[in-house]
Amino acid sequence: MDKQRSDQRVNYISKCLLDVHGTIYSGILENISKTGAAIEIVEALPHTIQCGETCILSTLLLSPVKYSCKILRIDSKRIALQFLDQ
């Protein structure tokens, strides 16, 4: 994924769920920052999911959290997300 970032990302491996228009995809949170995250989806993503779409990321940090996000990049099964409510 893109190495140019406005903030520091922290490597943090945790299971996650990505809700895109009511369809839930299982994945692994790879890293997170105060403005976004990178995840890898377990199953293949349908081609109907596009950059710019909104979604909800659910994961376990110190406690369960949910973030409203926008999909910034899709690279095979890896997805870069921007948090919308931060």
Side-chain angles (χ1 to χ4, degrees):
M1 299 251 146
D2 189 6
K3 298 295 181 193
Q4 295 179 340
R5 298 188 173 106
S6 61
D7 60 310
Q8 182 67 32
R9 295 220 174 196
V10 176
N11 290 333
Y12 192 96
I13 306 300
S14 180
K15 291 182 180 181
C16 67
L17 298 174
L18 187 67
D19 179 340
V20 183
H21 306 297
T23 301
I24 309 295
Y25 301 95
S26 297
I28 301 293
L29 174 73
E30 295 179 338
N31 63 56
I32 192 165
S33 72
K34 62 183 175 181
T35 60
I39 65 172
E40 183 169 340
I41 298 299
V42 175
E43 64 264 19
L45 289 170
H47 295 293
T48 56
I49 295 177
Q50 300 294 318
C51 292
E53 291 193 73
T54 58
C55 55
I56 298 172
L57 173 66
S58 301
T59 192
L60 179 64
L61 298 178
L62 294 176
S63 61
V65 293
K66 287 187 178 187
Y67 294 101
S68 294
C69 306
K70 178 171 73 172
I71 298 173
L72 293 181
R73 282 181 304 286
I74 301 172
D75 180 17
S76 185
K77 292 183 178 183
R78 295 184 72 206
I79 298 176
L81 301 170
Q82 177 184 21
F83 299 145
L84 297 176
D85 51 356
Q86 301 300 312

